Amino acid sequence: MEALSSMMAGTGPTEIGLEQAFLGLLLAFILGQVAAWTYMFTHSGLSYSSAFVQSIVLLTVLISMSMMVIGSNIVIAFGLIGALAVIRFRNILKDTRDTAFIFFALVIGMATG
């Protein structure tokens, strides 16, 4: 009972099997595709950036994978945040709708991870 309560609190170790990891990544990819298709079909401009659409799908899979690696280890979480802080993005999101789709992709990745 104590192990169950510590896992519910997020303090206990969690182990993910190979099947669970594959299923989580597959689910992240599929839901990322749905998010990208939704972006493509609801885009109101002349044309959308195919690189942005691809990054929506990639972002869901990468965030899901990083959530699997982090698990409940706070040290690894801070290490990944520090490593990601070094990356500089040169693209500017011109539309708030694009930012919303980035956040949507992040949430999908966290949920499937």
Side-chain angles (χ1 to χ4, degrees), residues 43-77:
H43 186 71
S44 61
L46 295 175
S47 66
Y48 55 85
S49 171
S50 62
F52 182 74
V53 173
Q54 292 168 359
S55 68
I56 290 174
V57 177
L58 208 70
L59 193 60
T60 58
V61 175
L62 289 175
I63 294 297
S64 178
M65 193 180 307
S66 65
M67 290 300 291
M68 289 178 193
V69 168
I70 289 172
S72 63
N73 194 338
I74 194 73
V75 175
I76 295 175

Side-chain angles (χ1 to χ4, degrees), residues 8 29 40 44-45 50-52 55 59 63 67 80 82 85 90 94 107 109-110:
M8 299 273 293
F29 179 75
M40 287 175 11
S44 61
S50 62
F52 182 74
S55 68
L59 193 60
I63 294 297
M67 290 300 291
L80 280 175
R90 298 196 183 263
K94 298 176 182 100
V107 169
M110 283 191 241

